[in-house]
Amino acid sequence: MATQLEPDIHADEDAFRTEVQQFLAANFPDELKNKGNALAGVDGPTDETPAQKAWREAVGERGWGTPTWPKQYGGGGLTKAQAKIIDQEFAKAGAYNPIGGMGVMMFGPTLLEYGSEEQKMEHIPPICRGEIRWCQGYSEPNAGSDLANLQTFAEDKGDHYIVNGQKTWTSGGQWADKCFAIVRTDKSDKHRGISFMLIDMDAPGVEVRPITMISGTSPFCETFFDNVKVPKENLVGEEGQGWTIGKRLLQHERTNISGGGRLASMMGQSLGDIAKKYGETDAAGELADKVLRDKIADFEIRWNSFLLTARRAVEESKAQGGVSEISSVLKKLGTKLSQERSELLIEIRGLQGLGWEGEEFTDGELEAVRGWLFGKATTIYGGSTEIQNNIIAKRVLGMLDHQ
Amino acid sequence: MAVLNEEQEMLRDMARDWATNESPVTEFRKVRANGEPHAYNKDAYATMAEMGWAGVIIPEDHGGSDFGFLSAGLVVEELGKTLTASPLIATTIAASAIVLGGSDEQKAKWLPKLASGETVATLAVDESAHHDPSAIEASVSGGKLTGKKAFVHEAHGADLFVVAAKDGLYLVEKGDGVSLTTRKLTDQRSHADVNFDGAAADKLEGGGDSLLDDVLDRARVLTAAEMLGMAQQVFDTTLDYLKQRVQFNQVLATFQALQHRMADLFADLAQMRSAVEAGLQAVDGGFGVARAATIAKAEANRVLHTISNQGIQLHGGIGMTDEYDVGFYLKRARVLESAWGSSSYLKDRYAKLASY
Ligand SMILES: Cc1cc2nc3c(=O)[nH]c(=O)nc-3n(C[C@H](O)[C@H](O)[C@H](O)COP(=O)(O)OP(=O)(O)OC[C@H]3O[C@@H](n4cnc5c(N)ncnc54)[C@H](O)[C@@H]3O)c2cc1C
């Protein structure tokens, strides 16, 4: 579809593009070129080099890490088109977005929708500046897929709550400053007895115990609350509204897990090119292993149709306003495809693609192995694939239980 | 399950009891924690050999029991269930090369020591990260072997290497001209690149032109038997878990989506078992071995791949933890899927054997 743009919009966009380029030239340190954002994820402590710090502050100050969030809370206050220009120019310069993590991916958007004015003023700006790390206190030993079965209890003590209970699989819990949690405020009603509240991770009575994962790292924890005092101002929405707010946050999480950015950034490396590097080619310059070649093409075709689906969903959801149940479709598809991709990488590399440690493997090969193992979690967390299928069948397709 | 004779049943029960009681996964954890390059418990292997397991395919007059491959597979399957780390499979594969291709003198020299567990041996064929017996560059001149073998299983514990060179298989003892570079893989077992630099080599003259292929087929069926044990164990553990874990006020096993998933895996596992047992029996019968071994390993690859993934998925978060065993099976599975033929390789081989 040909789009007729008004000439003055063009001019505006060109001016903005120049502004971004100038900003990068003035602020982006060469030594960080083509590096990833080590701090945006949930998988590491917060040691920053001076260059990383300066870059985070420069982007944070302008709100360009969260470009479309409102300016009054520290966001960029920019249009989607401008946000895209930032993406493009950063990518061209090999610059990462230093603002990220659960605050950006899921908590911020949810608080913008449900938080009070005071809460937004308090919590959104530090997220935009990348100063505060958030973790997600949802799952419990007996509340995984059946999240609403959560038992962590917040007892009303007038101007504050006293929270007792245990969360588990808390990603980044050992590095987080704060936790957005769903807890029980009423034992008589499974769903309406849940409230959404914000807990300081350094409050007395909070204890975290890291759990080692099959990939060898310990990016998540058991989190214990023992008589933790939480002021009433940290309740988001009404008491009992936690399930609605909590589910909304999950839609943001799913949209993020399924990918936009993460998947798109992997697009650059074609599996076919990697396979040519590791395997033999025939006289025509094609992969000699035809079975593998067929598998790669089969995968890449479906990968492309996924990216098209994700793009279409974004466009359609713009019309409807925000994330929706299509996030379940994207989450289920995107996670399955990234797992398949990791498995294909192993096939392509053979035993060279299964290294655990040692100098005989490149960093990229070793990272891919750990990524392959960690990636098994993507079809489990954020609502497992089976749970997404239930949501699609019941809520989207109206296939209700027989009772 | 194949029909077993009395001896075979006894052997299997003995292996099952020993693996369950003496070599549960906690033993593998100890091996991993020790971090020794040979990556197995030498006392445990001595015990296994005492029970006769290292000599199952070795003729009686060379100190074995000559029970055959189906019997060896029964033992290996039980050990696979508990991820027992040992050079039993590697040694058995190497022994089969000597049984098929060795002179009387070579047999008399090596087979009794392999059967008794005194000597550990392994097969070294591939020279890259992919299985490809058609791409061998190692060569021998004047009785000295030179070449580089990649990702050799159980190399650190091996006293004897059965090495594929351009013109056939050779026996090379560890020592002068043999050096190892450790390759640590996800399964935390012993793997190394082995460099042979003018190492003294003794050719296996017997066995005919197909010796290497015949030995590789034996490697495939035995590896598939280990994979069968692993798949069975992951399946059983997962089924138990689904019958216990409560979510939404009911055990997970009552959800139809999961019932159907398990039914699919159960059917897959039945196919895997048939294919693996038929592969082992084909070796014993000496008929249609290449085709049967290809089917056995290809089905083992396919089914273990699926089951090892589903094992994690169906356990949910707990399946992602190192504390829980199921992840170990995934990490060993991919190594074995790659060994002696990936799915791609085996599909191609199947088609070639069938001339299309
Ligand atoms: C790496 C990782 C990071 C995580 N990070 C966080 C975090 O930061 N914060 C947080 O709160 N949680 C986190 N989680 C927890 C995650 O959300 C839960 O693991 C997930 O909700 C599944 O719950 P469970 O592990 O209890 O599995 P279970 O609910 O016990 O599920 C086990 C299996 O049964 C299936 N199943 C369950 N119910 C049904 C049904 N009705 N129909 C069909 N199949 C069903 C599941 O799909 C799964 O395959 C994380 C998990 C992982 C693995």
Side-chain angles (χ1 to χ4, degrees):
Chain A
M1 189 182 76
T3 318
Q4 298 288 320
L5 288 175
E6 298 294 321
D8 55 343
I9 293 184
H10 258 314
D12 275 1
E13 291 192 353
D14 284 346
F16 185 68
R17 194 177 291 280
T18 310
E19 188 186 337
V20 178
Q21 286 164 350
Q22 284 166 351
F23 169 79
L24 281 161
N27 293 288
F28 184 61
D30 248 4
E31 60 175 285
L32 297 181
K33 203 172 163 159
N34 297 324
K35 296 245 160 68
N37 180 3
L39 306 172
V42 288
D43 48 357
T46 30
D47 309 333
E48 276 184 311
T49 63
Q52 285 173 324
K53 183 163 185 280
W55 174 235
R56 173 172 60 77
E57 287 172 353
V59 175
E61 199 184 316
R62 295 202 170 208
W64 281 6
T66 46
T68 59
W69 292 15
K71 211 170 177 103
Q72 73 264 37
Y73 306 120
L78 300 172
T79 64
K80 289 223 159 88
Q82 287 171 315
K84 200 166 173 184
I85 290 172
I86 293 185
D87 273 355
Q88 289 166 346
E89 292 305 317
F90 274 35
K92 252 193 252 166
Y96 62 85
N97 178 352
I99 310 296
M102 289 192 175
V104 174
M105 289 189 296
M106 42 190 126
F107 174 61
T110 310
L111 194 72
L112 284 170
E113 190 175 346
Y114 288 98
S116 67
E117 193 54 30
E118 293 76 27
Q119 287 170 334
K120 290 189 236 181
M121 287 309 286
E122 181 183 350
H123 299 295
I124 303 288
I127 294 176
C128 297
R129 292 193 303 266
E131 288 170 358
I132 290 283
R133 287 221 206 171
W134 287 88
C135 66
Q136 177 183 38
Y138 275 37
S139 306
E140 298 181 5
N142 291 312
S145 297
D146 184 11
L147 186 57
N149 190 42
L150 60 93
Q151 305 298 327
T152 295
F153 189 65
E155 196 186 346
D156 192 333
K157 292 282 186 184
D159 67 342
H160 67 274
Y161 296 98
I162 290 292
V163 176
N164 278 290
Q166 184 197 341
K167 295 290 173 183
T168 192
W169 319 127
T170 322
S171 296
Q174 66 270 58
W175 301 299
D177 306 293
K178 289 171 189 287
C179 174
F180 52 89
I182 45 178
V183 300
R184 188 155 293 290
T185 41
D186 179 355
K187 291 181 181 170
S188 68
D189 191 310
K190 186 169 178 178
H191 293 95
R192 273 173 301 205
I194 294 174
S195 299
F196 192 105
M197 54 183 70
L198 313 177
I199 304 177
D200 272 344
M201 290 301 280
D202 52 14
V206 179
E207 194 198 324
V208 293
R209 287 186 207 149
I211 307 170
T212 305
M213 218 163 43
I214 59 172
S215 56
T217 54
S218 305
F220 58 18
C221 303
E222 292 179 287
T223 305
F224 299 89
F225 300 110
D226 178 19
N227 287 318
V228 177
K229 189 172 168 182
V230 178
K232 279 253 167 98
E233 343 27 309
N234 286 4
L235 176 73
V236 177
E238 308 277 316
E239 217 176 72
Q241 210 191 348
W243 186 243
T244 307
I245 302 174
K247 275 197 305 188
R248 186 63 164 173
L249 183 137
L250 283 175
Q251 291 183 342
H252 288 290
E253 177 176 8
R254 280 163 200 161
T255 308
N256 265 290
I257 294 171
S258 71
R262 213 163 52 83
L263 292 185
S265 73
M266 299 192 336
M267 273 233 304
Q269 310 164 277
S270 143
L271 283 177
D273 288 343
I274 300 177
K276 277 166 111 174
K277 210 181 108 202
Y278 282 86
E280 280 158 38
T281 46
D282 61 18
E286 296 174 354
L287 281 178
D289 183 341
K290 298 299 173 195
V291 182
L292 182 62
R293 181 171 178 265
D294 176 279
K295 276 192 196 169
I296 293 174
D298 177 77
F299 168 78
E300 292 201 336
I301 287 167
R302 286 180 294 121
W303 178 272
N304 275 290
S305 71
F306 167 72
L307 292 174
L308 293 169
T309 308
R311 189 187 305 165
R312 188 160 64 85
V314 169
E315 279 160 12
E316 286 175 6
S317 77
K318 256 187 250 165
Q320 295 151 13
V323 292
S324 66
E325 270 145 13
I326 190 71
S327 63
S328 290
V329 175
L330 295 182
K331 200 245 169 193
K332 154 193 161 81
L333 290 173
T335 53
K336 174 169 182 283
L337 283 163
S338 357
Q339 289 180 350
E340 274 189 52
R341 189 178 193 280
S342 301
E343 294 282 3
L344 263 171
L345 260 182
I346 293 176
E347 258 188 82
I348 287 167
R349 292 172 169 158
L351 291 171
Q352 189 68 25
L354 283 167
W356 187 251
E357 60 193 25
E359 287 168 8
E360 312 292 318
F361 302 101
T362 66
D363 288 348
E365 286 164 351
L366 293 173
E367 275 164 29
V369 172
R370 307 295 175 126
W372 159 65
L373 291 167
F374 181 85
K376 298 297 176 198
T378 59
T379 48
I380 296 171
Y381 63 54
S384 69
T385 296
E386 289 76 13
I387 294 304
Q388 304 313 319
N389 280 343
N390 285 343
I391 292 173
I392 294 165
K394 289 180 189 165
R395 292 204 217 124
V396 183
L397 304 178
M399 300 169 77
L400 299 175
D401 289 344
H402 53 77
Q403 62 266 33
Chain B
M1 167 74 72
V3 180
L4 303 179
N5 63 33
E6 210 176 311
E7 276 164 355
Q8 287 167 333
E9 273 184 27
M10 273 174 57
L11 186 65
R12 184 204 52 204
D13 293 346
M14 192 163 87
R16 186 171 292 174
D17 285 348
W18 186 82
T20 315
N21 299 320
E22 308 300 326
S23 184
V25 180
T26 45
E27 292 300 309
F28 170 67
R29 286 182 184 273
K30 285 183 199 159
V31 167
R32 178 180 73 152
N34 282 344
E36 290 166 328
H38 59 266
Y40 68 93
N41 177 335
K42 291 192 172 173
D43 293 338
Y45 187 60
T47 307
M48 290 162 70
E50 256 168 49
M51 292 187 284
W53 298 351
V56 175
I57 63 122
I58 292 174
E60 286 178 72
D61 45 0
H62 291 299
S65 62
D66 206 12
F67 282 173
F69 274 78
L70 180 60
S71 299
L74 295 171
V75 174
V76 162
E77 180 188 339
E78 295 306 323
L79 299 175
K81 286 182 185 171
T82 62
L83 297 169
T84 298
S86 89
L88 181 72
I89 299 180
T91 300
T92 305
I93 294 167
S96 78
I98 300 175
V99 171
L100 290 173
S103 63
D104 288 345
E105 205 188 327
Q106 286 166 326
K107 288 180 186 169
K109 179 172 177 193
W110 292 111
L111 293 179
K113 287 190 198 165
L114 296 179
S116 72
E118 183 188 335
T119 297
V120 166
T122 190
L123 177 68
V125 175
D126 293 314
E127 299 184 0
S128 80
H130 293 273
H131 176 60
D132 188 357
S134 71
I136 290 170
E137 296 293 329
S139 62
V140 179
S141 83
K144 305 277 184 200
L145 191 143
T146 298
K148 219 173 152 38
K149 296 295 173 184
F151 299 99
V152 176
H153 296 249
E154 307 299 337
H156 299 89
D159 309 295
L160 181 69
F161 296 87
V162 176
V163 187
K166 274 184 171 157
D167 67 330
L169 289 176
Y170 288 81
L171 301 178
V172 179
E173 292 181 57
K174 80 167 179 202
D176 283 353
V178 181
S179 57
L180 270 55
T181 307
T182 298
R183 303 304 303 271
K184 196 153 190 197
L185 300 182
T186 49
D187 63 355
Q188 313 281 333
R189 296 279 298 271
S190 159
H191 304 275
D193 291 343
V194 184
N195 191 36
F196 298 96
D197 185 11
D202 185 18
K203 189 170 190 196
L204 296 175
E205 298 280 3
D209 287 347
S210 65
L211 179 62
L212 174 60
D213 278 339
D214 294 341
V215 173
L216 286 172
D217 282 331
R218 282 153 179 78
R220 289 180 188 120
V221 295
L222 279 179
T223 304
E226 179 180 355
M227 295 166 83
L228 176 61
M230 291 165 62
Q232 182 72 56
Q233 186 64 32
V234 173
F235 181 86
D236 291 348
T237 309
T238 304
L239 184 59
D240 281 351
Y241 187 75
L242 293 178
K243 287 178 180 176
Q244 285 163 27
R245 169 78 172 160
V246 175
Q247 287 286 274
F248 306 99
N249 298 320
Q250 54 196 106
V251 284
L252 291 177
T254 57
F255 289 112
Q256 200 166 50
L258 302 184
Q259 292 169 344
H260 285 193
R261 183 91 46 90
M262 290 307 282
D264 282 343
L265 296 181
F266 183 67
D268 275 338
L269 192 56
Q271 280 189 252
M272 178 181 184
R273 178 170 295 284
S274 313
V276 173
E277 289 178 351
L280 293 160
Q281 282 171 321
V283 175
D284 288 334
F287 182 74
V289 178
R291 186 168 177 275
T294 302
I295 295 172
K297 180 68 176 21
E299 281 294 86
N301 280 2
R302 178 179 71 85
V303 177
L304 181 59
H305 188 93
T306 308
I307 290 189
S308 58
N309 278 335
Q310 287 297 330
I312 300 224
Q313 178 67 20
L314 294 176
H315 276 87
I318 201 165
M320 286 298 297
T321 63
D322 186 76
E323 200 180 324
Y324 213 76
D325 293 340
V326 71
F328 290 155
Y329 291 82
L330 173 74
K331 290 188 263 187
R332 175 81 172 150
R334 295 300 177 274
V335 173
L336 295 183
E337 283 170 47
S338 188
W340 318 121
S342 65
S343 297
S344 298
Y345 177 87
L346 295 164
K347 283 179 201 170
D348 183 61
R349 182 161 197 262
Y350 180 89
K352 284 200 167 97
L353 288 169
S355 314
Y356 64 86

